Amino acid sequence: MKILELNDISKIYGQVKALHGVNLAVEPGEWLAIMGPSGSGKTTMMNIIGCMDKPSLGKAFLDGEDLTRLSPSELTAIRRDKIGLIFQQFHLVSYLTALENVMIAQYYHSMVDEEEALHALERVGLKDRAKHLPHQLSGGEQQRVCIARALINYPKLILADEPTGNLDEANELMVMDLLHQLHAEGSTIIVVTHSPEVAVHAQKTVVLEHGRVARITTSPKLCS
C-alpha cells in the first residue's frame, strides 16, 4: 500500500487554481523532494499532505485514510499521530527548554516521557543542551530540536518545509545527514525545497509549475 496518494487533486482560491489535477504516489520508505518557483503550488501541496488543508477537488490518501472525508478535528488527529513536521521557522516555544519543546509533541499524542524525549535529543546530538531555551541555541541546534520533536511519536511520514532554509552550510550538512540516517532506518521523507543542493539527496524530485506537475525525475543513485 502506498503511504501517500494524491488523485487528480486541485485547490481553488476564488478564481485562482493553486493546484490543478495533481497526481502523486509515494511508497513507504521513499524520499521525495517537491520543488518549483514561488507560486507554483509547493506550499499548497505541503498543506494538503500535512493535513493542514483539504483539496477542492480530487482525493488524498495517507496510510490508506481518505483525508478528503475527514473533519478538521480528525485531520488534526491524523497530523498528530502520523506526520512529523519540520519547519523552516522552527516554531519552538520560547519559554520552554529544548527538552520541554520535544515533550510538547508527546503531550498532544499520549503520555509525556522525559526519558524518551531525552533519547530523541540524544539522537540529534543535543542531549547536553536539553535544559537550554531556544534563544540559547544556534539555528542549527534549534532545527535539530525540531527534528527530535518530529520524531518523538514515530510518525509514518516526515514532512519538512525548507528544513535548511535558515541554516549555514555546516548546519545544512548536519541536518541532511540526520535525514539520511532516518531514511536509512526506513522513514518516509518528503522535503519541500527551492534548493537543488537539498533536492539532490532525494530519490525522486517532483517539479511543480503553475500548480501542475511539470516533471518527476529519479535520482541516478538511490539514497541508502
Side-chain angles (χ1 to χ4, degrees), residues 40-79:
S40 62
K42 298 192 305 298
T43 299
T44 302
M45 182 182 282
M46 186 198 75
N47 288 342
I48 291 172
I49 295 171
C51 297
M52 294 173 280
D53 201 357
K54 295 173 73 171
S56 304
L57 299 168
K59 292 283 188 179
F61 296 88
L62 179 64
D63 196 30
E65 190 95 43
D66 184 353
L67 303 179
T68 56
R69 298 173 63 90
L70 301 183
S71 68
S73 62
E74 289 171 327
L75 285 174
T76 297
I78 292 287
R79 183 170 66 249

Side-chain angles (χ1 to χ4, degrees), residues 120-131:
L121 285 174
E122 185 175 25
R123 287 193 69 192
V124 300
L126 289 177
K127 187 175 182 179
D128 62 336
R129 309 285 275 172
K131 300 300 183 182

Side-chain angles (χ1 to χ4, degrees), residues 25-154:
V26 180
E27 300 285 347
E30 195 169 22
W31 185 339
L32 189 80
I34 298 175
M35 297 189 72
S38 177
S40 62
K42 298 192 305 298
T43 299
T44 302
M45 182 182 282
M46 186 198 75
N47 288 342
I48 291 172
I49 295 171
C51 297
M52 294 173 280
D53 201 357
K54 295 173 73 171
S56 304
L57 299 168
K59 292 283 188 179
F61 296 88
L62 179 64
D63 196 30
E65 190 95 43
D66 184 353
L67 303 179
T68 56
R69 298 173 63 90
L70 301 183
S71 68
S73 62
E74 289 171 327
L75 285 174
T76 297
I78 292 287
R79 183 170 66 249
R80 178 194 66 208
D81 296 340
K82 297 190 176 184
I83 302 172
L85 290 167
I86 303 170
F87 299 100
Q88 178 181 359
Q89 301 297 334
F90 312 141
H91 295 302
L92 299 176
V93 180
S94 62
Y95 54 83
L96 297 182
T97 65
L99 178 63
E100 290 166 339
N101 267 286
V102 174
M103 292 172 69
I104 280 179
Q106 291 180 314
Y107 175 79
Y108 287 110
H109 183 267
S110 54
M111 295 286 289
V112 295
D113 184 328
E114 183 172 327
E115 185 175 343
E116 189 176 36
L118 274 172
H119 178 65
L121 285 174
E122 185 175 25
R123 287 193 69 192
V124 300
L126 289 177
K127 187 175 182 179
D128 62 336
R129 309 285 275 172
K131 300 300 183 182
H132 287 65
L133 296 171
H135 77 269
Q136 297 171 313
L137 303 172
S138 70
E141 288 171 334
Q142 291 185 61
Q143 188 59 292
R144 283 187 279 155
V145 172
C146 290
I147 293 173
R149 182 180 61 190
L151 298 179
I152 194 65
N153 295 323
Y154 306 100

